[in-house]
Structures are given as C-alpha cells and as structure tokens.
Amino acid sequence: MRPDLFEHSDYYLMDDLLSEEHKLVRGATRDWVKRDISPIIEEYAQRAEFPKQTVKGLAGIGAFGPYIPVEYGGAGLDQISYGLMMQEIERGDSGVRSTCSVQSSLVMYPIYEYGSEEQRLKYLPKLASGEYLGSFGLTEPNFGSNPGGMVTNFKDMGDHYLLNGAKMWISNSPLCDIAVVWAKNEDGRIHGLIVERGMEGFTTPETHNKWSLRASATGELVFDNVKVPKDNILPNKSGLGAPLGCLDSARYGIAWGAIGAAMDCYDTALRYSKERIQFDRPIGGFQLQQKKLAEMVTEITKAQLLTFRLGQLKNEGKATTAQISMAKRNNVDVALTIARNARQMLGGMGISGEYPIMRHMMNLESVVTYEGTHDIHLLITGMDVTGIPAFS
Ligand code: TGC
Ligand code: FAD
C-alpha cells in the first residue's frame, strides 16, 4: 500500500466548533493511525487477520472507554471526542474501529451502566488497558434483526446459573477474554451475563471466508452447560432495552466512524484525479469526475454536521434512539456511495490494494448491516415519526 498522504478537508470550517481538547484528541488519534495502522492494515486485511499488536496502542490513545470515567480506567472524555476518535480510527479501517466500538460501547458500557461496583472495578480497568478484550453476544443464528426472539437461556441452579445456546457474527469472539452475553431466564426475561474464557463448555469458533471486515476477527459464542457464577449477572438492568441501550452508544460511534472511511475515499480520489492524465489532461478536469467529487464533499459535510449536533445532544443527555439511528443509517449509506464512486474514479487501480478504497467499500458492507441493518433503521425512523411500529 502507498504511504498515507491523507489531508483533512474541512469544507464548512467545522474545526471552529471544536474545542482545543477535541482537536488534540483527533490529532493524536490521526497520528497514531498514520503510524500504526496505515502501513500494515492492507496486509492484515489481505491475510484476513486481526492485527493483535494494535490492542495496546488503541488502549494507549484512550480508544477503549473514551467516555468511561477515569476512576475506572477510561479516558473521561466527552461524546464529541469519542466520535472524533472513531472517525479517525475508521479512516484507517472499519475493522479496527469495530474492535473499539465493541470494547467501549458493547462491553465496558453495559458493565459501567448495568454492573455492580465490584464488576466495574474487576473488569473496566483491564478492558481499558487492553489486558482484556471483550465481545458482545446478542445476535443468534435465527434472531438477527429481531433479537427479542433469542433462545439462549440460563437456569438458576442455586449456587450458579447454567447457560446454554449460541451467538453468531460476534466481533472479537475468537480473541475475547470475556463476553457480555444476553440470555433469557426461566421467565423469558433478558439479562446480561459476563462469561469468561476458560469457563467449561464455552467455546468461540472463528467465522472464515469473509469478504468484509477482514482485519477484524468474527466468530461464534457457544454455551454448552456453562456454569456462570451468580456474581456475573449484570444486576442493574434487564429486558431487551438493556442490550438496545448499548447499541445506542455503539451506533453513535459508527455514525462518526463511517465519515472517516468516506473522508479517506474522497481524499484518495481527489488526489488521484489531479495526478491521473487521460486525453492529455487530469481526469479531475472532466465534468463527470467533478460531479462525483462535488457530491462526495457535500455528503461528507452534511454527515459531519449531523454527527456534531448529535454529539452536542449526547453530551447534554438528550439524544434519542431514533436520532442516533438516523445518523447511523445516513452516514453509513453515504460512505458506501462515496466508496463506490471513489473506486470508479480510480479505474482499474480502484480494485487494487495499493489504495484503501476497495477495502473501505467491502468493510462498509458489514457496517451497513451490523448494529441494525439500513432497512431496520428506516423502520425506526418510520416508527418515530408515525408512532406505528412496522417491524412485524
Ligand atoms: P421494542 O418493542 O421496540 O423494544 C423493546 C424494549 O426495548 C426498549 N428500547 C430501547 N431501550 C433502550 N435503548 C434503545 N435503543 C431501545 N429501543 C427500544 C423499548 O422501549 C422496549 O421497552 P419496554 O420497557 O417497553 O419493553 O423491540 P422490538 O422487538 O420490536 O425490536 C425493535 C428493533 C427491531 C428496532 C430492535 O430490536 C433492533 O434495533 N433490531 C436490530 C438489532 C441490532 O441492531 N442488532 C445489533 C447486534 S450487535 C452488533 O451488531 C455489533 S457489531 C459491532 C461492531 O463490530 O462494531
Ligand atoms: P436478518 O435479520 O435475517 O435480515 C435479513 C434482511 O431482512 C435484511 O436486509 C433486513 O434488513 C431484512 N429485514 C429483517 N427484518 C425486517 C423487517 N421487519 N422489515 C423489513 N426488512 C427486514 N452481532 C452481535 O450481537 N455482536 C457482534 O459483535 C456482531 N458483530 C458483527 C460483525 C459482522 C462482521 C457482521 C456482519 C455482523 C455482526 N453482528 C453482531 C450481527 C449483526 O448485528 C446482524 O447481522 C444484523 O443485526 C442483521 O441480522 P441478520 O444478519 O440475522 O439479518
């Protein structure tokens, strides 16, 4: 892969809206991505391997639990800093950003929000430092968009719980030290359980042959009569709203992250369009190519404005599930369109690993599917504006 020449485009002078801390966080994350991700990521994606050595670096820049309080090992930052971090990391690769989303919003967040003080102290500092890697088990083979139908279950055996079932499409599963697993009790009520690697009957087979998120490890979580200590249940929230609450936080990070992938595709296509000569002139001088670039920078700017405002609402505790859902859907959708158009602008070079565009494009096919598909997010907005759920 060529050297990372990325230059930030700030068409609407959004930087004027950022604090010095926001800019510092963004700059430090960007520097780290340029140094530790860009030079190696293409090779790892081609080999379909997660770059494990990046875990300590991600912890070092505060990407595990950016908004979790410092006393639990987090970085204690605001939601806009968290978003900017996800933007910069996904500018490098969506799979690396996935690892951060899962660790921060799907593992640390539920332990922080729904866990006991003992659980917080036991797990959060280790997750923040990267000593532990976590995964989040909600999706099952027969229940994806409809997680409320899950069949994974646990029984109260007096001194422990007995967990049975299976989760699939789980990011980080093959490498995880702990998993936050959502399962039904004997009354059909959903609870979160912390399952630790090494518990008898708990296995994490890897899912192979992915064409997308190749630098992220994906797998199953299989529970065959796993004895889970009673101390490992998350005591402070139950019901489907508990896992869905975690998704709010992760979807928010994805809305920012997708802008990063789009920015990288736009920057690459813009530079290429000025250098590539056909018919004796740079291809950037042709109207059809300018149309693509003009639409890209317009959509990136709109997505930036959407997430910045959403970040303000999140900081004030006012962002709704439907607002977050709209930003996730819109920003991933425009990032995919930008990646496809940028790929075309590079002609044959667009499919080569010399440039990052094809990798971003393939990654975004997962991003548009996980954390709620594009269509499910349309239905969430539809329900929000009409008051009528159209899911079933
Ligand atoms: P519904 O009846 O609407 O809701 C059930 C209960 O939950 C409450 N609720 C929420 N609570 C907190 N936060 C939210 N975001 C909430 N959304 C809903 C709701 O008020 C209700 O509470 P109560 O007290 O009335 O019972 O549920 P439904 O079964 O009709 O489903 C609605 C639907 C389809 C929107 C929802 O299930 C959904 O979002 N489906 C998509 C599934 C999904 O996003 N899965 C993601 C899996 S994790 C993942 O993909 C990680 S990828 C990570 C990476 O690598 O980056
Ligand atoms: P389905 O729910 O079967 O949907 C198939 C199609 O039907 C979609 O187009 C969908 O939009 C459509 N559809 C479904 N219901 C409706 C409806 N009511 N109306 C209209 N259309 C509908 N899950 C986790 O729990 N943890 C993870 O860490 C995780 N990581 C993932 C990593 C990757 C790489 C991928 C690909 C997935 C991951 N997932 C994870 C799972 C992901 O959240 C699900 O794939 C997603 O929620 C969709 O579920 P499904 O694949 O079962 O599709």
Side-chain angles (χ1 to χ4, degrees):
M1 197 172 143
R2 285 163 195 249
D4 182 350
L5 301 173
F6 176 76
E7 281 172 33
H8 179 65
S9 124
D10 183 17
Y11 205 74
Y12 257 48
L13 309 185
M14 296 282 296
D15 277 12
D16 292 355
L17 303 175
L18 302 180
S19 67
E20 283 311 306
E21 183 173 75
H22 294 147
K23 286 185 231 176
L24 273 174
V25 166
R26 185 185 60 189
T29 312
R30 184 171 298 167
D31 290 347
W32 181 79
V33 166
K34 281 202 175 202
R35 198 189 62 225
D36 284 12
I37 297 295
S38 302
I40 57 127
I41 196 63
E42 182 64 29
E43 204 184 310
Y44 277 85
Q46 294 278 0
R47 285 209 306 264
E49 188 182 330
F50 172 68
K52 290 194 197 90
Q53 71 278 19
T54 60
V55 167
K56 284 286 170 198
L58 285 165
I61 59 168
F64 294 158
Y67 55 86
I68 298 288
V70 177
E71 70 237 55
Y72 299 108
L77 296 168
D78 78 342
Q79 291 290 327
I80 291 175
S81 293
Y82 164 47
L84 287 164
M85 253 186 199
M86 296 303 108
Q87 171 189 288
E88 293 304 315
I89 293 169
E90 191 147 359
R91 215 254 326 144
D93 189 76
S94 305
V96 181
R97 196 270 306 136
S98 266
T99 295
C100 302
S101 294
V102 171
Q103 186 88 341
S104 301
S105 289
L106 299 182
V107 179
M108 295 177 75
Y109 176 89
I111 293 173
Y112 176 67
E113 284 291 334
Y114 315 146
S116 64
E117 189 58 14
E118 291 72 30
Q119 289 169 340
R120 288 170 162 194
L121 293 170
K122 178 174 177 190
Y123 295 108
L124 292 178
K126 288 185 173 154
L127 289 159
S129 69
E131 184 182 339
Y132 277 4
L133 203 60
S135 69
F136 174 89
L138 181 63
T139 305
E140 298 188 356
N142 292 320
F143 298 95
S145 296
N146 175 25
M150 70 175 66
V151 292
T152 297
N153 65 86
F154 63 97
K155 290 196 172 83
D156 189 338
M157 306 303 281
D159 63 343
H160 65 270
Y161 298 118
L162 200 63
L163 178 66
N164 278 290
K167 303 286 176 179
M168 80 177 294
W169 292 120
I170 306 304
S171 300
N172 298 353
S173 106
L175 307 162
C176 72
D177 300 286
I178 64 166
V180 170
V181 177
W182 300 94
K184 284 180 177 165
N185 69 9
E186 285 141 300
D187 298 326
R189 183 90 183 150
I190 294 171
H191 288 265
L193 299 168
I194 303 169
V195 179
E196 298 187 24
R197 187 170 292 281
M199 287 181 175
E200 210 180 320
F202 174 41
T203 49
T204 60
E206 184 157 3
T207 302
H208 295 288
N209 298 329
K210 291 180 300 167
W211 284 110
S212 176
L213 282 199
R214 287 172 63 80
S216 160
T218 314
E220 297 168 52
L221 302 172
V222 182
F223 315 104
D224 180 10
N225 285 320
V226 180
K227 285 184 181 175
V228 180
K230 287 202 148 175
D231 283 347
N232 285 30
I233 197 163
L234 297 176
N236 296 331
K237 184 149 179 167
S238 64
L240 186 57
L244 292 181
C246 308
L247 297 185
D248 277 356
S249 178
R251 289 168 178 170
Y252 168 77
I254 291 173
W256 280 91
I259 301 174
M263 283 162 62
D264 204 39
C265 293
Y266 167 69
D267 180 69
T268 305
L270 178 61
R271 187 171 300 107
Y272 191 85
S273 77
K274 293 181 197 167
E275 290 167 358
R276 176 70 175 166
I277 308 290
Q278 288 294 289
F279 298 96
D280 301 324
R281 54 197 288 218
I283 59 167
F286 298 120
Q287 288 184 356
L288 285 173
Q289 305 312 316
Q290 288 192 3
K291 175 178 186 286
K292 290 190 184 75
L293 291 167
E295 285 173 351
M296 284 179 204
V297 72
T298 306
E299 291 307 324
I300 288 170
T301 304
K302 282 153 68 178
Q304 285 170 334
L305 288 163
L306 196 61
T307 35
F308 183 80
R309 176 63 186 141
L310 188 63
Q312 289 179 322
L313 291 173
K314 267 216 132 222
N315 279 341
E316 292 163 15
K318 291 199 280 196
T320 66
T321 293
Q323 287 166 340
I324 294 166
S325 162
M326 178 186 280
K328 191 270 184 185
R329 169 175 56 81
N330 178 77
N331 291 9
V332 179
D333 190 45
V334 301
L336 248 181
T337 304
I338 287 168
R340 287 171 183 151
N341 283 328
R343 202 219 58 70
Q344 286 192 46
M345 286 189 66
L346 268 70
M349 290 311 288
I351 70 153
S352 160
E354 283 283 296
Y355 293 93
I357 297 176
M358 189 79 180
R359 180 169 43 80
H360 282 308
M361 193 178 109
M362 294 197 302
N363 282 342
L364 288 164
E365 290 292 345
S366 285
V367 182
V368 78
T369 297
Y370 65 35
E371 301 270 4
T373 66
H374 184 80
D375 287 344
I376 288 295
H377 287 295
L378 281 169
L379 295 179
I380 291 175
T381 305
M383 176 172 73
D384 198 48
V385 296
T386 64
I388 309 167
F391 301 110
S392 53

Short mmCIF file of all heavy atoms in Angstrom, two decimals, residues 217-263:
data_model
loop_
_atom_site.label_atom_id
_atom_site.label_comp_id
_atom_site.label_asym_id
_atom_site.label_seq_id
_atom_site.Cartn_x
_atom_site.Cartn_y
_atom_site.Cartn_z
N ALA A 217 -11.58 -9.94 13.74
CA ALA A 217 -11.89 -11.36 14.00
C ALA A 217 -13.37 -11.48 14.35
O ALA A 217 -13.87 -10.79 15.25
CB ALA A 217 -11.03 -11.87 15.13
N THR A 218 -14.08 -12.35 13.63
CA THR A 218 -15.51 -12.57 13.86
C THR A 218 -15.72 -14.05 14.17
O THR A 218 -15.01 -14.89 13.60
CB THR A 218 -16.32 -12.22 12.59
OG1 THR A 218 -15.87 -10.98 12.07
CG2 THR A 218 -17.81 -12.14 12.87
N GLY A 219 -16.67 -14.36 15.03
CA GLY A 219 -16.90 -15.77 15.33
C GLY A 219 -18.20 -16.01 16.05
O GLY A 219 -19.08 -15.15 16.09
N GLU A 220 -18.30 -17.20 16.63
CA GLU A 220 -19.49 -17.57 17.40
C GLU A 220 -19.14 -17.55 18.89
O GLU A 220 -17.96 -17.56 19.26
CB GLU A 220 -19.94 -18.99 17.03
CG GLU A 220 -20.37 -19.12 15.58
CD GLU A 220 -20.51 -20.59 15.20
OE1 GLU A 220 -21.21 -21.34 15.91
OE2 GLU A 220 -19.87 -20.98 14.20
N LEU A 221 -20.19 -17.56 19.70
CA LEU A 221 -20.03 -17.83 21.14
C LEU A 221 -20.95 -19.00 21.42
O LEU A 221 -22.16 -18.90 21.19
CB LEU A 221 -20.48 -16.62 21.97
CG LEU A 221 -19.79 -15.27 21.74
CD1 LEU A 221 -20.51 -14.16 22.52
CD2 LEU A 221 -18.32 -15.32 22.15
N VAL A 222 -20.38 -20.12 21.84
CA VAL A 222 -21.20 -21.32 22.04
C VAL A 222 -21.18 -21.69 23.53
O VAL A 222 -20.10 -21.74 24.14
CB VAL A 222 -20.65 -22.49 21.17
CG1 VAL A 222 -21.53 -23.73 21.35
CG2 VAL A 222 -20.60 -22.08 19.70
N PHE A 223 -22.38 -21.94 24.07
CA PHE A 223 -22.50 -22.23 25.51
C PHE A 223 -23.15 -23.61 25.68
O PHE A 223 -24.31 -23.80 25.34
CB PHE A 223 -23.36 -21.18 26.20
CG PHE A 223 -23.02 -19.77 25.78
CD1 PHE A 223 -23.84 -19.08 24.89
CD2 PHE A 223 -21.86 -19.16 26.22
CE1 PHE A 223 -23.52 -17.80 24.47
CE2 PHE A 223 -21.52 -17.88 25.81
CZ PHE A 223 -22.35 -17.20 24.92
N ASP A 224 -22.36 -24.55 26.19
CA ASP A 224 -22.86 -25.91 26.39
C ASP A 224 -22.80 -26.21 27.88
O ASP A 224 -21.76 -26.60 28.40
CB ASP A 224 -21.97 -26.86 25.57
CG ASP A 224 -22.40 -28.31 25.71
OD1 ASP A 224 -23.50 -28.56 26.28
OD2 ASP A 224 -21.64 -29.19 25.28
N ASN A 225 -23.92 -25.94 28.54
CA ASN A 225 -23.99 -26.14 30.01
C ASN A 225 -22.87 -25.40 30.74
O ASN A 225 -22.13 -25.99 31.53
CB ASN A 225 -23.93 -27.63 30.36
CG ASN A 225 -25.25 -28.33 30.04
OD1 ASN A 225 -26.32 -27.77 30.28
ND2 ASN A 225 -25.16 -29.51 29.47
N VAL A 226 -22.72 -24.12 30.43
CA VAL A 226 -21.67 -23.31 31.07
C VAL A 226 -22.15 -22.88 32.47
O VAL A 226 -23.25 -22.30 32.59
CB VAL A 226 -21.32 -22.06 30.22
CG1 VAL A 226 -20.23 -21.24 30.90
CG2 VAL A 226 -20.90 -22.47 28.82
N LYS A 227 -21.34 -23.17 33.47
CA LYS A 227 -21.68 -22.75 34.84
C LYS A 227 -21.19 -21.32 35.03
O LYS A 227 -19.97 -21.08 35.06
CB LYS A 227 -20.98 -23.64 35.87
CG LYS A 227 -21.59 -25.01 36.00
CD LYS A 227 -20.85 -25.76 37.11
CE LYS A 227 -21.44 -27.16 37.27
NZ LYS A 227 -20.68 -27.96 38.24
N VAL A 228 -22.11 -20.38 35.15
CA VAL A 228 -21.74 -18.97 35.31
C VAL A 228 -21.98 -18.57 36.77
O VAL A 228 -23.11 -18.74 37.27
CB VAL A 228 -22.57 -18.07 34.36
CG1 VAL A 228 -22.18 -16.61 34.52
CG2 VAL A 228 -22.42 -18.53 32.91
N PRO A 229 -20.95 -18.06 37.46
CA PRO A 229 -21.16 -17.65 38.86
C PRO A 229 -22.27 -16.60 38.98
O PRO A 229 -22.43 -15.77 38.09
CB PRO A 229 -19.81 -17.04 39.27
CG PRO A 229 -18.82 -17.54 38.27
CD PRO A 229 -19.58 -17.81 37.00
N LYS A 230 -23.00 -16.63 40.05
CA LYS A 230 -24.11 -15.68 40.22
C LYS A 230 -23.62 -14.23 40.25
O LYS A 230 -24.35 -13.31 39.87
CB LYS A 230 -24.90 -16.02 41.48
CG LYS A 230 -25.74 -17.27 41.28
CD LYS A 230 -26.89 -17.34 42.23
CE LYS A 230 -28.05 -18.05 41.55
NZ LYS A 230 -29.17 -18.28 42.47
N ASP A 231 -22.37 -14.04 40.67
CA ASP A 231 -21.81 -12.68 40.71
C ASP A 231 -21.66 -12.09 39.30
O ASP A 231 -21.38 -10.90 39.17
CB ASP A 231 -20.40 -12.70 41.34
CG ASP A 231 -20.47 -12.84 42.84
OD1 ASP A 231 -21.58 -12.66 43.38
OD2 ASP A 231 -19.43 -13.14 43.45
N ASN A 232 -21.78 -12.91 38.25
CA ASN A 232 -21.51 -12.43 36.90
C ASN A 232 -22.74 -11.92 36.16
O ASN A 232 -22.66 -11.57 34.99
CB ASN A 232 -20.84 -13.53 36.06
CG ASN A 232 -19.38 -13.71 36.44
OD1 ASN A 232 -19.02 -13.48 37.59
ND2 ASN A 232 -18.54 -14.09 35.51
N ILE A 233 -23.90 -11.88 36.82
CA ILE A 233 -25.07 -11.31 36.15
C ILE A 233 -25.02 -9.78 36.33
O ILE A 233 -24.59 -9.29 37.38
CB ILE A 233 -26.38 -11.90 36.72
CG1 ILE A 233 -27.55 -11.63 35.76
CG2 ILE A 233 -26.69 -11.40 38.12
CD1 ILE A 233 -28.77 -12.51 36.02
N LEU A 234 -25.40 -9.03 35.28
CA LEU A 234 -25.45 -7.57 35.41
C LEU A 234 -26.73 -7.22 36.16
O LEU A 234 -27.84 -7.46 35.66
CB LEU A 234 -25.42 -6.90 34.03
CG LEU A 234 -24.15 -7.15 33.19
CD1 LEU A 234 -24.28 -6.51 31.80
CD2 LEU A 234 -22.91 -6.60 33.89
N PRO A 235 -26.62 -6.65 37.37
CA PRO A 235 -27.80 -6.57 38.23
C PRO A 235 -28.73 -5.39 37.96
O PRO A 235 -29.89 -5.43 38.37
CB PRO A 235 -27.19 -6.43 39.64
CG PRO A 235 -25.85 -5.80 39.41
CD PRO A 235 -25.38 -6.25 38.06
N ASN A 236 -28.24 -4.35 37.28
CA ASN A 236 -29.00 -3.09 37.33
C ASN A 236 -29.92 -2.82 36.15
O ASN A 236 -30.57 -1.77 36.12
CB ASN A 236 -28.03 -1.92 37.53
CG ASN A 236 -27.34 -2.03 38.88
OD1 ASN A 236 -27.92 -2.60 39.82
ND2 ASN A 236 -26.11 -1.57 38.98
N LYS A 237 -30.00 -3.70 35.16
CA LYS A 237 -31.00 -3.51 34.09
C LYS A 237 -31.27 -4.85 33.41
O LYS A 237 -30.35 -5.63 33.17
CB LYS A 237 -30.52 -2.47 33.07
CG LYS A 237 -31.58 -2.19 32.03
CD LYS A 237 -31.54 -0.75 31.49
CE LYS A 237 -32.64 -0.61 30.43
NZ LYS A 237 -32.92 0.73 30.06
N SER A 238 -32.53 -5.10 33.08
CA SER A 238 -32.88 -6.31 32.34
C SER A 238 -33.92 -5.94 31.28
O SER A 238 -34.38 -4.80 31.23
CB SER A 238 -33.42 -7.39 33.30
OG SER A 238 -34.61 -6.94 33.90
N GLY A 239 -34.28 -6.94 30.45
CA GLY A 239 -35.22 -6.67 29.34
C GLY A 239 -34.45 -6.31 28.08
O GLY A 239 -33.24 -6.00 28.12
N LEU A 240 -35.15 -6.32 26.93
CA LEU A 240 -34.50 -6.03 25.64
C LEU A 240 -33.90 -4.62 25.61
O LEU A 240 -32.92 -4.35 24.91
CB LEU A 240 -35.52 -6.21 24.50
CG LEU A 240 -34.98 -6.09 23.07
CD1 LEU A 240 -33.84 -7.09 22.80
CD2 LEU A 240 -36.10 -6.29 22.05
N GLY A 241 -34.48 -3.72 26.37
CA GLY A 241 -33.96 -2.35 26.42
C GLY A 241 -32.51 -2.28 26.89
O GLY A 241 -31.79 -1.33 26.55
N ALA A 242 -32.06 -3.30 27.67
CA ALA A 242 -30.67 -3.27 28.18
C ALA A 242 -29.68 -3.41 27.03
O ALA A 242 -28.85 -2.51 26.82
CB ALA A 242 -30.47 -4.34 29.25
N PRO A 243 -29.74 -4.48 26.20
CA PRO A 243 -28.80 -4.53 25.07
C PRO A 243 -29.05 -3.40 24.06
O PRO A 243 -28.10 -2.87 23.48
CB PRO A 243 -29.04 -5.91 24.44
CG PRO A 243 -30.35 -6.38 24.98
CD PRO A 243 -30.51 -5.75 26.32
N LEU A 244 -30.31 -3.02 23.86
CA LEU A 244 -30.57 -1.95 22.88
C LEU A 244 -29.96 -0.62 23.35
O LEU A 244 -29.51 0.19 22.54
CB LEU A 244 -32.07 -1.79 22.62
CG LEU A 244 -32.75 -2.97 21.89
CD1 LEU A 244 -34.24 -2.70 21.67
CD2 LEU A 244 -32.09 -3.25 20.54
N GLY A 245 -29.89 -0.42 24.65
CA GLY A 245 -29.25 0.80 25.18
C GLY A 245 -27.77 0.84 24.83
O GLY A 245 -27.22 1.91 24.53
N CYS A 246 -27.11 -0.33 24.85
CA CYS A 246 -25.69 -0.38 24.46
C CYS A 246 -25.56 -0.03 22.98
O CYS A 246 -24.61 0.64 22.57
CB CYS A 246 -25.10 -1.78 24.67
SG CYS A 246 -25.35 -2.48 26.29
N LEU A 247 -26.52 -0.51 22.19
CA LEU A 247 -26.44 -0.24 20.74
C LEU A 247 -26.52 1.25 20.46
O LEU A 247 -25.89 1.74 19.52
CB LEU A 247 -27.56 -0.98 20.00
CG LEU A 247 -27.53 -2.51 20.07
CD1 LEU A 247 -28.62 -3.12 19.21
CD2 LEU A 247 -26.17 -3.06 19.66
N ASP A 248 -27.29 1.98 21.25
CA ASP A 248 -27.33 3.45 21.05
C ASP A 248 -25.93 4.03 21.06
O ASP A 248 -25.58 4.87 20.24
CB ASP A 248 -28.14 4.12 22.17
CG ASP A 248 -29.64 4.07 21.90
OD1 ASP A 248 -30.04 3.59 20.83
OD2 ASP A 248 -30.40 4.52 22.79
N SER A 249 -25.13 3.59 22.04
CA SER A 249 -23.80 4.16 22.19
C SER A 249 -22.88 3.71 21.03
O SER A 249 -22.10 4.51 20.49
CB SER A 249 -23.21 3.72 23.53
OG SER A 249 -21.92 4.21 23.68
N ALA A 250 -23.00 2.43 20.64
CA ALA A 250 -22.14 1.94 19.56
C ALA A 250 -22.56 2.54 18.21
O ALA A 250 -21.72 2.91 17.38
CB ALA A 250 -22.20 0.42 19.51
N ARG A 251 -23.87 2.66 17.97
CA ARG A 251 -24.34 3.23 16.70
C ARG A 251 -23.89 4.68 16.55
O ARG A 251 -23.58 5.14 15.45
CB ARG A 251 -25.88 3.14 16.62
CG ARG A 251 -26.40 1.72 16.44
CD ARG A 251 -27.90 1.66 16.68
NE ARG A 251 -28.44 0.31 16.46
CZ ARG A 251 -29.67 -0.06 16.77
NH1 ARG A 251 -30.52 0.82 17.32
NH2 ARG A 251 -30.08 -1.28 16.54
N TYR A 252 -23.87 5.39 17.67
CA TYR A 252 -23.38 6.77 17.65
C TYR A 252 -21.92 6.81 17.17
O TYR A 252 -21.54 7.61 16.31
CB TYR A 252 -23.51 7.39 19.05
CG TYR A 252 -22.77 8.69 19.22
CD1 TYR A 252 -23.29 9.88 18.70
CD2 TYR A 252 -21.53 8.74 19.87
CE1 TYR A 252 -22.60 11.07 18.84
CE2 TYR A 252 -20.84 9.93 20.00
CZ TYR A 252 -21.38 11.09 19.49
OH TYR A 252 -20.68 12.28 19.60
N GLY A 253 -21.09 5.91 17.70
CA GLY A 253 -19.68 5.86 17.29
C GLY A 253 -19.55 5.49 15.82
O GLY A 253 -18.67 6.01 15.11
N ILE A 254 -20.41 4.61 15.35
CA ILE A 254 -20.37 4.19 13.94
C ILE A 254 -20.74 5.36 13.03
O ILE A 254 -20.16 5.52 11.94
CB ILE A 254 -21.31 2.98 13.72
CG1 ILE A 254 -20.75 1.75 14.43
CG2 ILE A 254 -21.51 2.71 12.23
CD1 ILE A 254 -21.67 0.55 14.42
N ALA A 255 -21.71 6.18 13.46
CA ALA A 255 -22.11 7.33 12.63
C ALA A 255 -20.89 8.22 12.37
O ALA A 255 -20.71 8.74 11.26
CB ALA A 255 -23.22 8.11 13.32
N TRP A 256 -20.04 8.40 13.37
CA TRP A 256 -18.81 9.18 13.19
C TRP A 256 -17.78 8.38 12.38
O TRP A 256 -17.10 8.92 11.51
CB TRP A 256 -18.19 9.52 14.55
CG TRP A 256 -18.79 10.66 15.29
CD1 TRP A 256 -19.81 10.60 16.19
CD2 TRP A 256 -18.41 12.05 15.23
NE1 TRP A 256 -20.08 11.85 16.69
CE2 TRP A 256 -19.24 12.75 16.12
CE3 TRP A 256 -17.44 12.75 14.51
CZ2 TRP A 256 -19.13 14.13 16.32
CZ3 TRP A 256 -17.32 14.13 14.71
CH2 TRP A 256 -18.17 14.80 15.60
N GLY A 257 -17.67 7.10 12.71
CA GLY A 257 -16.66 6.27 12.05
C GLY A 257 -16.84 6.24 10.55
O GLY A 257 -15.86 6.36 9.79
N ALA A 258 -18.08 6.10 10.11
CA ALA A 258 -18.33 6.00 8.67
C ALA A 258 -17.84 7.25 7.93
O ALA A 258 -17.39 7.17 6.78
CB ALA A 258 -19.83 5.79 8.42
N ILE A 259 -17.91 8.40 8.61
CA ILE A 259 -17.39 9.63 7.97
C ILE A 259 -15.90 9.48 7.70
O ILE A 259 -15.39 9.92 6.67
CB ILE A 259 -17.62 10.87 8.87
CG1 ILE A 259 -19.10 11.07 9.17
CG2 ILE A 259 -17.05 12.13 8.20
CD1 ILE A 259 -19.37 12.21 10.16
N GLY A 260 -15.20 8.83 8.63
CA GLY A 260 -13.76 8.63 8.46
C GLY A 260 -13.47 7.83 7.20
O GLY A 260 -12.60 8.19 6.39
N ALA A 261 -14.20 6.72 7.02
CA ALA A 261 -13.98 5.90 5.81
C ALA A 261 -14.29 6.73 4.57
O ALA A 261 -13.55 6.69 3.57
CB ALA A 261 -14.86 4.65 5.88
N ALA A 262 -15.37 7.52 4.62
CA ALA A 262 -15.75 8.35 3.47
C ALA A 262 -14.67 9.40 3.19
O ALA A 262 -14.31 9.67 2.03
CB ALA A 262 -17.09 9.03 3.74
N MET A 263 -14.12 10.01 4.25
CA MET A 263 -13.09 11.04 4.08
C MET A 263 -11.85 10.46 3.39
O MET A 263 -11.22 11.10 2.55
CB MET A 263 -12.69 11.63 5.45
CG MET A 263 -13.70 12.60 6.02
SD MET A 263 -13.53 12.88 7.82
CE MET A 263 -11.92 13.55 7.99
#
